[in-house]
Amino acid sequence: MAMNHYLKPNLESSPNEVILHIGTNDLKTREPKAVAESIVDLARQIESTCDTTVTLSELVCRKDKLDQAVKTANKHLKKFCHQNGWKLIHHENISHSGLNKGGLHLNFKDKSKATGLDKISARLIRECADLICVPICDIFNQSISQGTFPDDWKYARITPLYKQGDRGDANNYRPISVIPIMAKVFERIVYEQLYAYLEEHDILCQNQSGFRANHSTVTALLEATDSWAYNIDNEKINGVIFLDLKKAFDTVDHQILLSKLNYYGIHGKSFRWFQSYLENRTQKCSVNGSLSSSYSLTCGVPQGTILGPLLFLLYINDLPNCLSNCKPRMYADDTHLTYAGSNLENVQFCLNEDLENVFNWLQANKLTLNMTKTEFMLIGSRQRLNTLTASPTIRMNNTQVSQVTATKSLGVIIDAKLDWYSHIEKLTKKIASGIGALKRIRHLISASALHLIYQALVKPHFDYCDIVWGSCGNTRRDELQKLQNRAARVLTFSNYDADATELLGFLGWKNLARLQEIHKATMMVKCLHGLAPRYLYSKFTWRDSAYDLRDSEIKLNVPLPRTNYYRKSFSYNGTTLWNSLPRDMRNTESLGLFKHKINDIL
C-alpha cells in the first residue's frame, strides 16, 4: 500500500535519497521486531525499484506506555541498518513528528502570518512541511547541541502602529516586531521545554500571572479583589501601590538576564544557546513599504518573539524577594503591591519601607519607574474611608506618589470602595457607542454580518472580567442589561417597546446575570480541577462528609463573611454557587461537558 499510494509516485521522479520516517501506531498491535522488519522490507523494496539511497529515521520516543516498545524497535532498526549499510537518523533532542503537530509548529492553521525579512511565508512552510521537517529538525538539533542560534533568524522588521495623540511624536506609536517564521517555529519548541522545566521545579513566582498556562487577567483580578474584600471583612484598610515600569521589556540588561538564567539552572550548552540567542540582534523599520538601515539591539528581550515574554518573567521573577511587608501581584510588567493594616500610620510606614526596597531592586536591575503613572490608592469600606481625617504620604526616592480614588488595572477600573461605579460608567459608554454604530450600518449589511460585528465589537465588553465586576449590584447591572436589550432590538430591527426577553430567546442569548453565573461556575470547575492558578484554587476547601449526610459530598466549606464586601467576593459566592449545583453537575469531570450542562440549566 505504501509503495503504490505514497512512495511510488515520488520514486518516479528518481530522487537521490529517500528518508523513511515511520509512525509508531503499529506498535499498538504488533511486536517491535515485526514493525522494524516491515520498515526494512519497505526499504529493500525501494532499493530494488530504483537507484536510490535509503535512509531510515528512528521512531520518535513517546511519553506513554508505547515508549519502551519504541526503544526496542529502534534497537532492531539500528542493527538492520548496520547490516545493510543504511544511514540511521537519530533524534535525541527534537523530533520532526513534534515539529508537525497540528497548528503548533510547521502546520500553521493561520497561513496569513506576517512574513519576516527572509520573505519565507507561513504558507510556504505549511505546504512543504512533509519535505522540510527532517532537515529543519536537524538544523534545530545542531543549533542546540552547538549552543548557537542562527544569525539569519535574529533579524526583525519593525512597523510603527499609531496609538493616539500627535502623529508627529514617535512616542505615540507602538512598534510591532516581526521575526522570521522559522525562528518562531524553533522558539516555540524551546519555549515548551523551558516552560516545562520552570513549572516542574516551581521556579516562577506564584504571584506572576502573565504568559502562563491557566493564568489570565481574570484570575489575577479575581485573586486581588477577593483578598482586598477579605481584608475589609477583617476591619483592615488596603494600601495599594500600582507600579508603572518604564519600557520594561526594552530595557532588560542581557548580562543580568543571563546571570539569572544561570542561577535558575540553565547551564552548559543551554546557557550558551541563550547567550547566542540574545546577542547580535538587529532590526529594520518599515514605513510605507520602505526599509530603514539596520541597527543593533544591545538590551531588551527580543520583541515579537515566542521566548521574549518568558525571558522577561525570569528577569523580574525575584522582585518579590526584596519586599518585607507587601504582597505583590504581577501580570508581566504590570505590578501592584498591597499592604493591609488596621491604621494609616502602619500602612504608610510599611508601604514606604517596601518602596525603598523596590527602588533599590530597580536600580540593581537597571529598570526605572514612570513616576507620573505610578499611583497609590486606599481600598476599604465606605464607612472606614469616610472616617479618615488624613492621607498617608507615600514616597519613592524623594518623589511623592500621587493618591487616586480609581485607576485602571488590566483593563478594569478599580475604585477605592470596590463598588465598580467608575468601571460600569466607562463600560456603558463604550457599549452604547458600539450599539449606535450597529444601528447606523444595519441597513447596509446582511444579518449574519451584523451579528458578527456585534460578537466582535460589543459582546466582549459585556464578557470581559464580568465575574470580577459582577458584584456591582443590581442597579448598575440593570444599566448594562438595558444595553443588551437595546442591542437585541437593533439586531432584530424591533421597536423600542418590543419584549426584550422574547428577543433574547429568539437570538439565543442569555441575559447578563445568567452569563455571569455561567462564567463563575466555569471558573469554579477550573479551580477545583487544577485548571486555575494555585493562588485561586487554594481559597477553597472540601466539606468533610464524615457524617454521611444526604447530598453532602463534593461540596465546599462556605466562608462566614461579616460584611457585604466579603459576601460579594469570589471566595464566598463562588462556593455558594458550586454547592447549589445539582450533584451530577458537581460530579462532572470534563470541563467541556460541564460547560455544555451549565448552559442547559442556567
Side-chain angles (χ1 to χ4, degrees):
M1 291 294 290
M3 279 294 294
N4 292 333
H5 294 284
Y6 178 70
L7 283 171
K8 191 173 182 180
N10 289 282
L11 293 176
E12 289 175 352
S13 60
S14 300
N16 294 325
E17 181 182 20
V18 170
I19 300 175
L20 288 181
H21 171 60
I22 311 297
T24 56
N25 285 336
D26 278 356
L27 291 171
K28 295 178 181 178
T29 56
R30 302 175 64 194
E31 290 298 315
K33 185 176 181 181
V35 171
E37 288 174 343
S38 297
I39 298 172
V40 171
D41 289 342
L42 180 58
R44 287 172 176 161
Q45 194 176 356
I46 294 171
E47 279 192 330
S48 65
T49 302
C50 60
D51 185 18
T52 299
T53 300
V54 175
T55 298
L56 300 186
S57 170
E58 280 188 335
L59 301 181
V60 178
C61 293
R62 298 173 58 129
K63 295 182 179 180
D64 56 18
K65 60 184 180 181
L66 290 180
D67 184 54
Q68 188 55 49
V70 169
K71 292 177 180 177
T72 303
N74 282 335
K75 287 182 180 179
H76 290 296
L77 279 180
K78 185 177 181 180
K79 178 181 177 181
F80 292 139
C81 284
H82 179 72
Q83 293 173 349
N84 291 275
W86 295 328
K87 180 182 176 183
L88 180 66
I89 296 176
H90 300 274
H91 300 287
E92 298 171 350
N93 301 315
I94 299 171
S95 68
H96 43 266
S97 67
L99 288 177
N100 259 338
K101 285 194 293 185
L104 286 180
H105 299 135
L106 298 184
N107 282 333
F108 300 103
K109 291 182 179 179
D110 183 6
K111 293 186 286 187
S112 63
K113 285 182 178 290
T115 302
L117 289 172
D118 61 356
K119 298 183 179 180
I120 298 177
S121 67
R123 181 186 183 114
L124 176 63
I125 294 172
R126 179 186 174 92
E127 297 299 331
C128 300
D130 290 339
L131 298 175
I132 66 174
C133 65
V134 172
I136 289 299
C137 179
D138 291 339
I139 291 172
F140 290 176
N141 282 327
Q142 285 293 318
S143 170
I144 292 174
S145 64
Q146 295 178 15
T148 303
F149 188 81
D151 285 340
D152 285 348
W153 293 344
K154 297 179 183 178
Y155 305 131
R157 185 182 74 246
I158 304 295
T159 302
L161 182 66
Y162 174 70
K163 295 186 292 186
Q164 59 183 5
D166 181 9
R167 289 184 178 269
D169 186 350
N171 292 319
N172 293 328
Y173 290 81
R174 178 181 290 109
I176 304 300
S177 178
V178 178
I179 63 172
I181 295 291
M182 199 55 71
K184 288 190 175 183
V185 175
F186 192 10
E187 287 190 40
R188 171 59 64 187
I189 299 169
V190 176
Y191 173 94
E192 290 172 356
Q193 296 181 9
L194 177 60
Y195 187 77
Y197 167 78
L198 298 175
E199 288 292 295
E200 180 183 353
H201 296 279
D202 201 21
I203 290 174
L204 291 177
C205 171
Q206 290 185 27
N207 303 112
Q208 175 62 262
S209 299
F211 312 116
R212 300 183 66 183
N214 298 329
H215 294 64
S216 67
T217 55
V218 178
T219 62
L221 288 168
L222 270 181
E223 192 279 328
T225 54
D226 194 89
S227 296
W228 294 334
Y230 177 81
N231 294 334
I232 295 172
D233 201 60
N234 285 276
E235 301 180 349
K236 293 182 177 181
I237 189 166
N238 300 283
V240 186
I241 300 175
F242 297 87
L243 303 176
D244 187 275
L245 295 175
K246 185 183 294 184
K247 297 186 180 298
F249 282 77
D250 297 328
T251 54
V252 167
D253 183 272
H254 289 173
Q255 293 307 312
I256 296 176
L257 173 59
L258 288 170
S259 68
K260 293 187 178 187
L261 289 175
N262 186 64
Y263 174 79
Y264 291 129
I266 311 299
H267 306 306
K269 292 179 181 178
S270 298
F271 178 83
R272 292 197 299 273
W273 188 92
F274 279 103
Q275 190 174 33
S276 172
Y277 174 81
L278 291 170
E279 65 187 12
N280 300 326
R281 284 194 168 266
T282 61
Q283 61 186 26
K284 294 183 178 182
C285 185
S286 174
V287 178
N288 296 329
S290 298
L291 283 174
S292 70
S293 57
S294 63
Y295 54 97
S296 300
L297 298 175
T298 57
C299 64
V301 293
Q303 297 289 314
T305 63
I306 305 297
L307 281 169
L310 187 56
L311 293 177
F312 180 79
L313 295 192
L314 288 172
Y315 193 78
I316 65 169
N317 194 54
D318 60 329
L319 187 154
N321 297 341
C322 76
L323 302 174
S324 302
N325 313 298
C326 295
K327 178 172 182 178
R329 294 181 178 90
M330 301 184 288
Y331 191 93
D333 61 333
D334 196 309
T335 303
H336 58 83
L337 313 176
T338 298
Y339 179 79
S342 54
N343 59 74
L344 280 185
E345 291 77 13
N346 183 237
V347 171
Q348 176 177 292
F349 175 81
C350 291
L351 288 178
N352 279 323
E353 184 178 44
D354 270 350
L355 268 185
E356 183 177 352
N357 294 334
V358 169
F359 176 75
N360 293 332
W361 183 91
L362 291 171
Q363 280 199 316
N365 288 275
K366 299 184 179 181
L367 296 174
T368 55
L369 272 187
N370 186 343
M371 291 303 298
T372 60
K373 294 183 179 180
T374 295
E375 299 171 329
F376 160 68
M377 186 191 300
L378 291 176
I379 298 178
S381 66
R382 184 184 302 275
Q383 296 81 358
R384 186 70 183 274
L385 293 177
N386 288 339
T387 60
L388 297 179
T389 57
S391 297
T393 301
I394 307 299
R395 293 182 178 275
M396 173 179 272
N397 192 30
N398 296 322
T399 301
Q400 185 166 341
V401 179
S402 58
Q403 182 175 353
V404 295
T405 56
T407 190
K408 192 173 185 178
S409 178
L410 302 180
V412 173
I413 300 176
I414 299 169
D415 50 52
K417 299 170 185 175
L418 293 183
D419 59 12
W420 307 109
Y421 175 81
S422 300
H423 182 71
I424 301 301
E425 184 180 37
K426 184 74 172 178
L427 202 57
T428 53
K429 290 179 180 178
K430 285 185 177 180
I431 293 172
S433 175
I435 294 173
L438 288 177
K439 188 174 182 179
R440 289 191 293 273
I441 66 171
R442 62 178 176 172
H443 297 285
L444 307 175
I445 59 177
S446 65
S448 59
L450 191 64
H451 282 256
L452 285 175
I453 295 174
Y454 169 82
Q455 295 290 333
L457 300 182
V458 178
K459 191 175 185 295
H461 293 303
F462 286 124
D463 292 342
Y464 181 67
C465 288
D466 61 346
I467 56 178
V468 176
W469 52 260
S471 58
C472 59
N474 292 333
T475 301
R476 295 186 178 94
R477 187 184 291 112
D478 287 345
E479 294 176 17
L480 292 174
Q481 186 56 58
K482 289 176 182 177
L483 288 172
Q484 189 193 35
N485 297 344
R486 187 192 304 174
R489 293 188 180 101
V490 168
L491 265 64
T492 57
F493 293 80
S494 301
N495 294 327
Y496 72 92
D497 57 350
D499 185 83
T501 304
E502 290 184 5
L503 294 179
L504 294 180
F506 173 77
L507 292 169
W509 296 357
K510 296 185 184 295
N511 64 38
L512 299 184
R514 288 189 176 183
L515 281 175
Q516 288 175 12
E517 293 290 278
I518 290 172
H519 296 158
K520 192 185 302 176
T522 302
M523 182 59 73
M524 286 299 300
V525 172
K526 291 180 179 180
C527 288
L528 300 177
H529 288 80
L531 300 175
R534 188 185 312 169
Y535 59 64
L536 263 193
Y537 67 66
S538 62
K539 292 179 177 291
F540 304 99
T541 57
W542 294 107
R543 181 183 295 178
D544 185 5
S545 57
Y547 297 103
D548 196 27
L549 299 176
R550 182 181 180 186
D551 200 35
S552 64
E553 297 117 344
I554 325 175
K555 285 193 174 184
L556 299 169
N557 290 313
V558 182
L560 300 176
R562 291 180 291 187
T563 64
N564 280 333
Y565 285 92
Y566 198 42
R567 193 169 286 109
K568 292 178 179 179
S569 71
F570 181 64
S571 292
Y572 178 78
N573 55 44
T575 297
T576 54
L577 173 61
W578 174 264
N579 289 348
S580 69
L581 294 175
R583 182 168 180 168
D584 70 304
M585 288 287 299
R586 302 197 305 272
N587 268 317
T588 304
E589 293 291 332
S590 165
L591 177 61
L593 183 58
F594 181 89
K595 288 181 178 180
H596 178 74
K597 288 183 177 180
I598 198 70
N599 272 284
D600 287 341
I601 69 170
L602 287 180

